Amino acid sequence: MKPLADLVRPAKIDDVIGQDHILGKERLLRKLIESKHIPNMIFYGPPGTGKTTVANIIANETDKRIYKLNATEASTKDIKDIINDLDSLFAHKGVLLYLDEIQNFNKKQQQSLLKYIESGEITLISSTTENPYFTIFNAIISRSTIFEFKKLNEEDILDGIKRALKIAEEQIFNVHINYDEEALLYIAQVSGGDLRRAITNLELALYSSSSILGSDNFKIDISIAKECTQTSGFAYDKFGDNHYDILSAFQKSIRGSDPDASIHYLAKLIKAGDLLSICRRLLVIASEDIGLAYPNAISIVNSCVDAALKLGFPEARIPLAQAVILLATSPKSNSAISAIDSALKDLDSKNIGDIPFYLKDGHYKNSSNLGRGIGYKYPHNYPNNYVKQDYLPENLKDTVYYKSSSNKVETKIKEYLEKLKSGD
């Protein structure tokens, strides 16, 4: 007996759950399928969102013979074997190669496909759960149309579960299956947007019931649903696109002064056991986003990070949460990163000129013969330890890199500098 997830796999575009942004009426992918003009394509998105299903439908709708390879197991030889079959496939209108997890093919393996997709002998549909712009050879991308499959919402998953239940009734058990709406909703909620995972959990719930066989009164309740779905479908790959998306949301939530969202993304990172990434990002945020608005923040965060590294999980979650809430609720300033990035940009784009001679090292013998250090004014010899003199190269004279933000600490810094330079 086939798994339930295979039995419910749609054969028509109208039966595909979700993905209306590419498969809805008048949407691009749907129009391509209806026109039977299929270009090389890359399907990008999380597991269980319909990538393989749509590839199968395309093959059926266009009368192409479909070959399926998974790049985690396949080799260049598998591709050559398909090529060797081309001459015997006149009955079909070409070949469609569905290459799943293409990011696991190295550059040479991906390049081996180019000759055949350029000649039109093979139509390539590749899928990946990782950002194709990071993982797929540019020559493949330039010859392909990218379609992003989005994580399904709870309503989509619930629709898919109910469809699966109907098929299970008709094709597997031949009995009416009763259920609590709460139980199906729970299965949908913990699926993490992965319909295949939800249907697999549903199938487990069906078979785990001792009353299913021969019963006319079978029912899936919340207790069965929870027993068969002990963990949620939280997805995380330390080396993939998802890793950077969560870290990005984490930093942007702290920058946006939202402690609740910040803690949510921290929880995701903790759930993945990604302690090092959390610590590094917190130290960056302390200077990049809080900076001089609360200069002591980095010292406190550094102590929390040090404690977390010494403790390890699960206890590390406590000082990490302390650091996150501190940063999210602190005043914000990006004046430090803006200043250094502006200075670095000038180094790349301007003729900055030489260091003023009076600022150059004058401690070695005969340095004065070269004009080094002559004319330098020692600030501590002047009132308030300040004397006006130029420190930037002549070509950058009067350039302003540090622009204070309007927070309490930097307002005082600005006032101090203005008073110092005015001589008051």
Coordinates of all heavy atoms in Angstrom, one line a residue, residues 17-57:
I17 N -2.8 22.4 -3.3 CA -3.1 23.2 -2.1 C -2.1 24.4 -2.1 O -0.9 24.2 -2.1 CB -2.9 22.4 -0.8 CG1 -3.9 21.2 -0.9 CG2 -3.2 23.2 0.4 CD1 -5.3 21.5 -0.8
G18 N -2.7 25.6 -2.0 CA -1.8 26.8 -1.8 C -1.1 27.2 -3.1 O -1.5 26.8 -4.2
Q19 N -0.1 28.0 -3.0 CA 0.7 28.5 -4.1 C -0.1 29.3 -5.1 O 0.2 29.3 -6.3 CB 1.5 27.4 -4.8 CG 2.2 26.4 -3.8 CD 3.1 27.2 -2.8 OE1 3.6 28.3 -3.1 NE2 3.3 26.5 -1.7
D20 N -1.2 30.0 -4.7 CA -2.0 30.8 -5.6 C -1.2 31.9 -6.3 O -1.5 32.4 -7.4 CB -3.2 31.4 -4.9 CG -4.2 30.4 -4.5 OD1 -4.2 29.3 -5.0 OD2 -5.1 30.7 -3.6
H21 N -0.1 32.4 -5.7 CA 0.7 33.4 -6.2 C 1.4 33.0 -7.5 O 1.8 33.9 -8.3 CB 1.7 33.9 -5.2 CG 2.8 32.9 -4.8 ND1 2.4 31.8 -4.1 CD2 4.1 32.9 -5.1 CE1 3.5 31.1 -3.9 NE2 4.5 31.7 -4.5
I22 N 1.5 31.7 -7.8 CA 2.1 31.2 -9.0 C 1.2 30.3 -9.8 O 1.4 30.1 -11.0 CB 3.5 30.5 -8.8 CG1 3.3 29.4 -7.8 CG2 4.6 31.5 -8.4 CD1 4.6 28.6 -7.5
L23 N 0.2 29.7 -9.1 CA -0.7 28.8 -9.8 C -2.1 29.2 -9.9 O -3.0 28.6 -10.5 CB -0.7 27.4 -9.0 CG 0.7 26.7 -9.1 CD1 0.6 25.5 -8.1 CD2 1.0 26.2 -10.5
G24 N -2.4 30.4 -9.3 CA -3.8 30.9 -9.4 C -4.1 31.4 -10.9 O -3.3 31.4 -11.8
K25 N -5.4 31.7 -11.1 CA -5.8 32.1 -12.4 C -5.0 33.3 -12.9 O -4.7 34.2 -12.2 CB -7.3 32.5 -12.4 CG -8.3 31.4 -12.0 CD -8.3 30.3 -13.0 CE -9.3 29.2 -12.6 NZ -9.4 28.1 -13.6
E26 N -4.5 33.1 -14.1 CA -3.7 34.2 -14.8 C -2.4 34.4 -14.2 O -1.7 35.3 -14.5 CB -4.5 35.5 -14.8 CG -5.8 35.5 -15.5 CD -5.7 35.1 -17.0 OE1 -4.7 35.5 -17.7 OE2 -6.5 34.2 -17.4
R27 N -1.9 33.5 -13.3 CA -0.6 33.5 -12.8 C 0.4 32.8 -13.7 O 0.0 31.9 -14.5 CB -0.5 32.9 -11.4 CG -1.3 33.7 -10.4 CD -0.8 35.1 -10.1 NE -1.5 35.8 -9.1 CZ -1.1 37.0 -8.6 NH1 -0.1 37.6 -9.2 NH2 -1.8 37.6 -7.7
L28 N 1.7 33.3 -13.7 CA 2.6 32.9 -14.7 C 2.8 31.4 -14.8 O 2.7 30.8 -16.0 CB 4.0 33.5 -14.4 CG 5.1 33.2 -15.4 CD1 4.7 33.6 -16.8 CD2 6.4 33.9 -15.0
L29 N 3.1 30.7 -13.8 CA 3.3 29.2 -13.9 C 2.1 28.5 -14.4 O 2.3 27.6 -15.3 CB 3.7 28.7 -12.5 CG 4.1 27.2 -12.5 CD1 5.2 26.8 -13.6 CD2 4.6 26.7 -11.1
R30 N 0.9 28.9 -14.0 CA -0.3 28.2 -14.5 C -0.4 28.5 -16.0 O -0.7 27.6 -16.8 CB -1.5 28.8 -13.8 CG -2.8 28.0 -14.1 CD -4.0 28.7 -13.5 NE -5.2 27.8 -13.7 CZ -5.7 27.0 -12.8 NH1 -5.1 26.9 -11.6 NH2 -6.7 26.3 -13.1
K31 N -0.2 29.7 -16.4 CA -0.3 30.0 -17.9 C 0.7 29.2 -18.7 O 0.4 28.8 -19.8 CB -0.1 31.5 -18.1 CG -1.3 32.3 -17.6 CD -1.3 33.8 -18.1 CE -0.2 34.6 -17.5 NZ -0.3 36.0 -17.9
L32 N 1.9 29.0 -18.2 CA 2.9 28.3 -18.9 C 2.5 26.8 -19.0 O 2.7 26.2 -20.1 CB 4.3 28.3 -18.1 CG 5.0 29.6 -18.2 CD1 6.3 29.6 -17.2 CD2 5.5 30.0 -19.6
I33 N 1.9 26.3 -17.9 CA 1.5 24.9 -18.0 C 0.3 24.7 -19.0 O 0.3 23.8 -19.8 CB 1.0 24.4 -16.6 CG1 2.2 24.4 -15.6 CG2 0.4 23.0 -16.6 CD1 1.9 24.1 -14.2
E34 N -0.6 25.7 -18.9 CA -1.8 25.6 -19.9 C -1.4 25.8 -21.3 O -2.0 25.2 -22.2 CB -2.8 26.7 -19.4 CG -3.5 26.4 -18.1 CD -4.4 27.5 -17.7 OE1 -4.3 28.6 -18.2 OE2 -5.2 27.2 -16.7
S35 N -0.3 26.5 -21.5 CA 0.2 26.7 -22.9 C 1.0 25.6 -23.4 O 1.4 25.5 -24.6 CB 1.0 28.0 -23.0 OG 2.2 27.9 -22.3
K36 N 1.4 24.7 -22.4 CA 2.3 23.6 -22.7 C 3.7 24.0 -23.2 O 4.4 23.2 -23.8 CB 1.7 22.6 -23.7 CG 0.3 22.0 -23.2 CD -0.2 21.0 -24.1 CE -1.6 20.5 -23.8 NZ -1.7 20.0 -22.4
H37 N 4.0 25.3 -22.9 CA 5.4 25.8 -23.2 C 6.1 25.9 -21.9 O 6.0 26.8 -21.1 CB 5.3 27.1 -23.9 CG 6.6 27.7 -24.2 ND1 7.5 27.3 -25.2 CD2 7.3 28.7 -23.5 CE1 8.6 28.0 -25.2 NE2 8.5 28.8 -24.2
I38 N 7.0 24.9 -21.7 CA 7.7 24.7 -20.4 C 9.1 25.1 -20.5 O 9.9 24.4 -21.2 CB 7.5 23.3 -19.8 CG1 6.0 22.9 -19.8 CG2 8.1 23.2 -18.4 CD1 5.2 23.8 -18.9
P39 N 9.6 26.2 -19.9 CA 11.0 26.5 -19.9 C 11.7 25.7 -18.8 O 11.1 25.0 -18.0 CB 11.0 28.0 -19.6 CG 9.8 28.1 -18.7 CD 8.8 27.1 -19.2
N40 N 13.0 25.8 -18.8 CA 13.8 25.3 -17.6 C 13.4 26.1 -16.4 O 13.3 27.3 -16.5 CB 15.3 25.4 -17.9 CG 15.7 24.6 -19.1 OD1 15.4 23.4 -19.2 ND2 16.3 25.3 -20.1
M41 N 13.2 25.4 -15.3 CA 12.7 26.1 -14.1 C 13.4 25.6 -12.9 O 13.8 24.5 -12.8 CB 11.1 25.9 -14.0 CG 10.3 26.5 -15.1 SD 8.5 26.3 -14.8 CE 8.3 24.6 -15.2
I42 N 13.4 26.5 -11.9 CA 13.9 26.2 -10.5 C 12.8 26.4 -9.6 O 12.2 27.5 -9.5 CB 15.1 27.1 -10.2 CG1 16.3 26.8 -11.1 CG2 15.5 26.8 -8.7 CD1 17.4 27.8 -11.0
F43 N 12.4 25.4 -8.9 CA 11.4 25.5 -7.8 C 12.1 25.6 -6.5 O 12.8 24.8 -6.1 CB 10.5 24.3 -7.8 CG 9.5 24.1 -9.0 CD1 8.8 23.0 -9.2 CD2 9.4 25.2 -9.9 CE1 8.0 22.8 -10.3 CE2 8.5 25.1 -11.0 CZ 7.8 23.9 -11.2
Y44 N 11.8 26.8 -5.8 CA 12.5 27.1 -4.6 C 11.5 27.2 -3.4 O 10.6 28.0 -3.6 CB 13.3 28.4 -4.8 CG 13.7 29.1 -3.5 CD1 14.3 28.5 -2.5 CD2 13.5 30.5 -3.4 CE1 14.7 29.2 -1.3 CE2 13.8 31.2 -2.3 CZ 14.4 30.6 -1.2 OH 14.8 31.3 -0.1
G45 N 11.7 26.5 -2.3 CA 10.8 26.7 -1.2 C 11.0 25.5 -0.2 O 11.7 24.6 -0.5
P46 N 10.3 25.6 0.9 CA 10.5 24.6 2.0 C 9.9 23.3 1.6 O 9.1 23.2 0.6 CB 9.8 25.3 3.2 CG 8.8 26.3 2.6 CD 9.5 26.8 1.3
P47 N 10.2 22.2 2.4 CA 9.6 20.9 2.1 C 8.1 20.9 2.2 O 7.5 21.7 3.0 CB 10.2 20.0 3.1 CG 11.4 20.8 3.7 CD 11.1 22.2 3.5
G48 N 7.5 20.0 1.4 CA 6.0 19.8 1.6 C 5.1 20.9 1.1 O 4.0 21.0 1.5
T49 N 5.6 21.7 0.1 CA 4.8 22.8 -0.4 C 4.4 22.5 -1.8 O 3.7 23.4 -2.4 CB 5.6 24.1 -0.4 OG1 6.9 23.9 -1.0 CG2 5.9 24.5 1.1
G50 N 4.7 21.4 -2.4 CA 4.1 21.0 -3.7 C 5.1 21.0 -4.9 O 4.6 20.9 -6.1
K51 N 6.4 21.2 -4.7 CA 7.3 21.3 -5.8 C 7.3 20.0 -6.6 O 7.2 20.1 -7.9 CB 8.7 21.5 -5.2 CG 8.8 22.8 -4.4 CD 10.3 23.1 -4.0 CE 10.9 22.1 -3.1 NZ 10.2 22.1 -1.7
T52 N 7.4 18.8 -6.0 CA 7.4 17.6 -6.8 C 6.1 17.3 -7.4 O 6.0 16.9 -8.6 CB 7.8 16.4 -5.9 OG1 9.0 16.6 -5.3 CG2 7.8 15.1 -6.6
T53 N 5.0 17.7 -6.7 CA 3.7 17.5 -7.3 C 3.5 18.3 -8.6 O 3.0 17.8 -9.6 CB 2.6 17.9 -6.2 OG1 2.7 17.0 -5.1 CG2 1.2 17.9 -6.8
V54 N 3.9 19.5 -8.5 CA 3.7 20.4 -9.7 C 4.6 19.9 -10.9 O 4.2 19.9 -12.0 CB 4.0 21.8 -9.4 CG1 4.0 22.7 -10.6 CG2 3.0 22.4 -8.4
A55 N 5.8 19.4 -10.6 CA 6.6 18.8 -11.6 C 6.0 17.6 -12.3 O 6.0 17.5 -13.5 CB 8.0 18.4 -11.0
N56 N 5.3 16.8 -11.5 CA 4.6 15.6 -12.1 C 3.5 16.1 -13.0 O 3.2 15.5 -14.0 CB 4.1 14.7 -10.9 CG 5.1 13.9 -10.3 OD1 6.1 13.4 -11.0 ND2 5.0 13.6 -9.0
I57 N 2.7 17.1 -12.5 CA 1.6 17.6 -13.3 C 2.1 18.2 -14.6 O 1.5 17.9 -15.7 CB 0.8 18.6 -12.5 CG1 0.2 18.0 -11.3 CG2 -0.2 19.4 -13.3 CD1 -0.5 18.9 -10.3

